[in-house]
Amino acid sequence: MVGIILASHGDFAKGILQSGAMIFGEQENVAACVLEPSEGPDDIKAKLQKAIQSFDDQEEVLFLVDLWGGTPFNQANSLLEDHKDKWAIVSGMNLPMVIEAYASRFSMNSAQEIAQAILNTARDGVKVKPEELEPEVAVESSEKTPSNTGKPGTFEYVLARIDTRLLHGQVATAWTKATQPTRIIVVSDAVAKDELRKKLIQQAAPPGVKAHVVPVEQMIKLAKDDQHFGGQRALLLFENPQDVLRAVEGGVPLDTINVGSMAHSPGKVQPNKVLAFGQDDIDTFKKLKEKGLKFDVRKVPNDGQGNMDEILRRAQAELNR
């Protein structure tokens, strides 16, 4: 696995390491190296060398640094001299860049390949509101995402997820990278009636992916349309298991549900850090299991899977107290 070093003036690298872990999960072979105000070039160089020595694979190292020409960059560059054929440095470090680098390690084993792959994501992460402040950029026709609508066939479901927060950082980055959808569909009666939430969800879609919000009944109709969605890869997001059950009973052909987060509210118990259940939730999951659905309990793709049966047993025991 490619080792990644986050390097900066001050604690910026430590902060972005923590933020990346919140969104994408804890990472192996990643280190943050910071240049303190009282330190000099030799100090940060020693930290970089120590970080490299901690990696499983020291042949492939990617440096993500805050500022081109700054001391962290210069010292990383001095180490790069003897490894120009494999190592790489990318400056202008931001959170989209870091998350994209993490995700790229699933499919890429070269530091230089990852460095090249993360550039567009890093640039796309710089946006402004109101949108009219954005400079106009001509887009070549070859760069436009082709539409697959109109081909005979139904959706290919690459992920169905229960997540109270719906479309947020972990979904827009980690899960989108892992599953490669062409459409993200939020399935919720409540959100479909809320114009503000709909707009925010559409704006949160990652580049090249369309985001939609539909009521449960509309999703059932879309799932039965065998003429217009061939070639489309759908990532479905549900706020709760009850909506999933309605969708499945209506004919949406799901076989596995990723259970990511369920927020706590009065009357619910919380058997782990991210999942809270009321009696109706437990009963609904039992009905989904009876229908043959499997449960993939993970916040992000590289997390270990939780045991849903055990989680539900703990939740039931707490409710019975």
Side-chain angles (χ1 to χ4, degrees):
M1 177 180 286
V2 174
I4 298 176
I5 293 178
L6 314 177
S8 70
H9 297 78
D11 287 340
F12 175 46
K14 291 181 180 178
I16 208 166
L17 177 67
Q18 183 184 50
S19 297
M22 289 178 63
I23 294 173
F24 207 86
E26 297 291 339
Q27 297 291 303
E28 296 180 351
N29 295 296
V30 176
C33 297
V34 304
L35 176 67
E36 302 290 353
S38 60
E39 294 178 334
D42 290 342
D43 298 297
I44 187 68
K45 186 172 184 177
K47 292 178 182 179
L48 295 172
Q49 291 171 321
K50 183 177 179 181
I52 294 167
Q53 291 168 4
S54 72
F55 293 158
D56 295 336
D57 181 3
Q58 298 172 23
E59 293 297 313
E60 296 287 349
V61 178
L62 174 62
F63 299 89
L64 304 182
V65 304
D66 57 352
L67 186 65
W68 186 275
T71 300
F73 168 85
N74 291 336
Q75 295 309 307
N77 196 35
S78 70
L79 297 174
L80 182 77
E81 285 299 314
D82 294 330
H83 303 272
K84 286 183 177 180
D85 57 331
K86 290 196 172 182
W87 292 8
I89 305 173
V90 181
S91 70
M93 176 171 58
N94 60 19
L95 188 54
M97 174 196 295
V98 171
I99 293 169
E100 184 70 13
Y102 291 169
S104 295
R105 296 197 298 178
F106 287 119
S107 57
M108 300 178 186
N109 298 315
S110 161
Q112 294 187 354
E113 186 181 11
I114 293 175
Q116 187 174 33
I118 66 179
L119 293 178
N120 284 337
T121 299
R123 292 174 183 134
D124 288 341
V126 180
K127 298 183 182 294
V128 64
K129 266 192 163 301
E131 289 84 354
E132 52 265 28
L133 298 179
E134 290 271 10
E136 293 186 9
V137 179
V139 179
E140 296 295 331
S141 59
S142 61
E143 295 178 344
K144 295 179 180 178
T145 302
S147 172
N148 293 318
T149 56
K151 295 181 180 180
T154 55
F155 286 116
E156 175 186 355
Y157 298 96
V158 297
L159 182 74
R161 176 179 172 91
I162 297 172
D163 192 328
T164 306
R165 294 183 291 168
L166 295 172
L167 182 51
H168 57 97
Q170 291 172 350
V171 175
T173 55
W175 283 109
T176 299
K177 181 73 175 179
T179 60
Q180 298 291 305
T182 58
R183 295 173 185 257
I184 294 174
I185 305 175
V186 170
V187 185
S188 167
D189 293 352
V191 181
K193 297 175 183 177
D194 189 328
E195 291 301 321
L196 177 58
R197 291 185 72 186
K198 284 172 62 176
K199 184 175 182 180
L200 291 174
I201 285 169
Q202 290 165 351
Q203 291 176 343
V209 182
K210 293 182 179 180
H212 311 269
V213 180
V214 300
V216 176
E217 287 302 320
Q218 180 64 21
M219 186 64 235
I220 293 170
K221 293 178 182 178
L222 294 175
K224 295 176 180 178
D225 185 334
D226 61 359
Q227 292 299 313
H228 296 102
F229 301 111
Q232 293 289 337
R233 296 166 57 83
L235 188 161
L236 305 188
L237 296 174
F238 298 88
E239 285 188 289
N240 54 64
Q242 290 79 15
D243 284 348
V244 176
L245 181 61
R246 285 178 57 201
V248 170
E249 289 178 336
V252 180
L254 304 177
D255 55 22
T256 301
I257 300 296
N258 171 241
V259 186
S261 76
M262 294 174 58
H264 187 272
S265 60
K268 293 193 175 187
V269 297
Q270 196 163 354
N272 69 14
K273 292 181 179 179
V274 295
L275 300 178
F277 302 85
Q279 188 61 57
D280 187 35
D281 298 318
I282 294 174
D283 294 341
T284 301
F285 276 113
K286 289 180 179 178
K287 291 177 182 177
L288 288 168
K289 184 177 181 180
E290 289 171 359
K291 290 186 173 297
L293 273 78
K294 299 184 286 290
F295 304 116
D296 172 18
V297 186
R298 286 184 293 171
K299 288 193 301 179
V300 292
N302 61 333
D303 279 351
Q305 289 193 26
N307 185 317
M308 192 63 175
D309 289 337
E310 178 59 30
I311 292 171
L312 290 175
R313 278 196 293 270
R314 293 203 305 269
Q316 187 67 71
E318 291 187 38
L319 283 172
N320 292 340
R321 287 177 184 172

